[in-house]
Amino acid sequence: INIDEGKNREKLYSNIYKKNCKNIFFKNSFISKTSKSNMIKKKGIIIQDHAKIMPCVEINHGTKINIGAQIHHDCKIGKFATIAPKAVLLGKVKVGNYSYIGANSTIKQNVKIGKGAIIGAGSLVNKDVDSFTVVAGVPVKIIKKRT
């Protein structure tokens, strides 16, 4: 279940673990009370060491938050998304299902990341990213559209 690719994690979740898939919160992570209460009915969420989840964050089934990532207030993360190590999502960011946010990336406030989008490592995302689009750079530029 610790696989970074969301679609593969979903297959494990639905075919192997089914109803026994629990959330895993590493003890050195910080999760605010409001965000933790938003996750009570969700399954398969992994939050690794030194990750910080601030108030009013909504994280969906099967999402993986890697080491040292920060997710700030009022963000919404879709199912089976992956937030790589030390990525930072500032306030009110929306991340679509199956999206991948690369290591050391920063997503500015109020940005929407579409379903299945990929954000390259070290990127600065200052504008919305369409579904199934690969972007990278500072600031981000479109690398390619996927189907």
Side-chain angles (χ1 to χ4, degrees):
I1 195 151
N2 204 17
I3 296 169
D4 279 339
E5 209 290 310
K7 289 281 187 183
N8 290 333
R9 212 166 44 248
E10 182 178 36
K11 286 178 189 174
L12 285 171
Y13 172 86
S14 59
N15 295 332
I16 297 172
Y17 299 107
K18 298 181 183 171
K19 294 180 182 176
N20 294 322
C21 192
K22 297 182 178 175
N23 294 329
I24 300 169
F25 303 148
F26 286 54
K27 69 178 182 177
N28 289 323
S29 61
F30 169 80
I31 306 166
S32 76
K33 289 180 183 181
T34 56
S35 295
K36 196 175 264 190
S37 69
N38 286 339
M39 291 183 253
I40 288 174
K41 294 183 180 178
K42 309 296 182 189
K43 293 184 178 182
I45 298 170
I46 300 168
I47 300 178
Q48 292 186 332
D49 276 336
H50 308 292
K52 291 185 175 154
I53 313 297
M54 298 310 193
C56 303
V57 171
E58 293 179 27
I59 299 175
N60 250 299
H61 300 287
T63 291
K64 182 179 176 196
I65 311 295
N66 278 281
I67 295 169
Q70 296 180 35
I71 302 174
H72 291 269
H73 67 91
D74 302 299
C75 289
K76 294 183 181 183
I77 301 174
K79 66 181 182 175
F80 298 98
T82 300
I83 312 298
K86 296 188 178 181
V88 177
L89 281 65
L90 299 174
K92 297 186 180 181
V93 170
K94 292 183 181 176
V95 177
N97 299 339
Y98 310 105
S99 292
Y100 184 91
I101 310 299
N104 294 306
S105 294
T106 299
I107 316 294
K108 302 273 291 199
Q109 295 92 335
N110 299 306
V111 168
K112 294 177 186 167
I113 308 296
K115 178 180 179 178
I118 297 174
I119 310 300
S123 294
L124 173 63
V125 183
N126 59 356
K127 59 187 174 186
D128 293 352
V129 176
D130 292 336
S131 295
F132 305 106
T133 302
V134 179
V135 298
V138 179
V140 292
K141 293 183 176 125
I142 295 174
I143 305 299
K144 71 176 182 175
K145 297 258 187 184
R146 303 178 319 135
T147 54

